[in-house]
Amino acid sequence: MQIEITTDPISPWQRLDSYQQQMPGLVGKVGASAVFVGSMRDFNEDESISAMRLEHYPAMTLKYLQDLVNQTMQQWSLLDVLLLHRVGEVTPGDTIVLVAVWSAHRAEAFAACRHLMEELKSRAPFWKQETLREGGRRWVGKNTPG
């Protein structure tokens, strides 16, 4: 299991490949993996967005993510989880989140990956402030539906 909160850009496919190279003990045990990559859009609520700042309280956010991943691994009998989340300033097209799960069966992999993303979007302690292309900033009060 790896959980990382970073201000650095995320190259999701490189990180996924690198992480999987470190999983030789799971060869033959993994029957399914599910991956979600979330990127910043250049619009929200019918307005153009030029940037977004994601803020968090590091200790609180990391504890929340660790608890979430542990609970999810138990609920769906997962073999491993990789969760990377970006904070700081991001621009359209930047990867914000990478969630990857490995399990023996596809149903568990799909369900667990979706569960992790829904929890991240609705409950994780991240705060988002958008920079509008026409000028000004605003805090995001609610997330878009799945």
Side-chain angles (χ1 to χ4, degrees):
M1 168 177 60
Q2 181 178 344
I3 300 167
E4 183 180 328
I5 302 168
T6 182
T7 57
D8 296 329
I10 297 171
S11 297
W13 309 115
Q14 273 185 328
R15 292 297 301 270
L16 185 60
D17 183 52
S18 174
Y19 190 75
Q20 288 185 126
Q21 296 299 321
Q22 301 169 27
M23 298 171 56
L26 294 181
V27 172
K29 293 175 178 55
V30 172
S33 57
V35 177
F36 179 88
V37 176
S39 303
M40 187 191 158
R41 296 183 311 266
D42 66 353
F43 66 93
N44 190 27
E45 297 180 8
D46 298 324
E47 292 201 57
S48 294
I49 309 298
S50 62
M52 181 170 59
R53 179 160 191 78
L54 288 102
E55 297 184 2
H56 74 300
Y57 294 109
M60 180 174 81
T61 304
L62 186 57
K63 178 173 180 357
Y64 176 85
L65 296 179
Q66 289 169 334
D67 291 346
L68 173 61
V69 168
N70 287 331
Q71 175 266 329
T72 302
M73 287 185 77
Q74 291 174 356
Q75 184 173 349
W76 279 281
S77 300
L78 301 179
L79 299 168
D80 207 349
V81 172
L82 172 63
L83 190 158
L84 309 176
H85 205 293
R86 180 100 180 260
V87 293
E89 196 78 17
V90 295
T91 56
D94 288 349
T95 296
I96 297 173
V97 64
L98 166 63
V99 173
V101 301
W102 292 266
S103 70
H105 304 285
R106 70 181 177 279
E108 291 172 322
F110 281 132
C113 190
R114 181 172 185 110
H115 172 75
L116 286 167
M117 274 313 306
E118 295 302 328
E119 290 295 311
L120 284 171
K121 288 292 285 182
S122 64
R123 291 190 175 90
F126 293 103
W127 295 272
K128 302 172 190 170
Q129 187 180 53
E130 297 172 330
T131 301
L132 305 177
R133 194 167 307 280
E134 301 299 320
R137 296 175 80 87
R138 68 177 177 198
W139 288 99
V140 176
K142 61 180 172 146
N143 286 304
T144 56

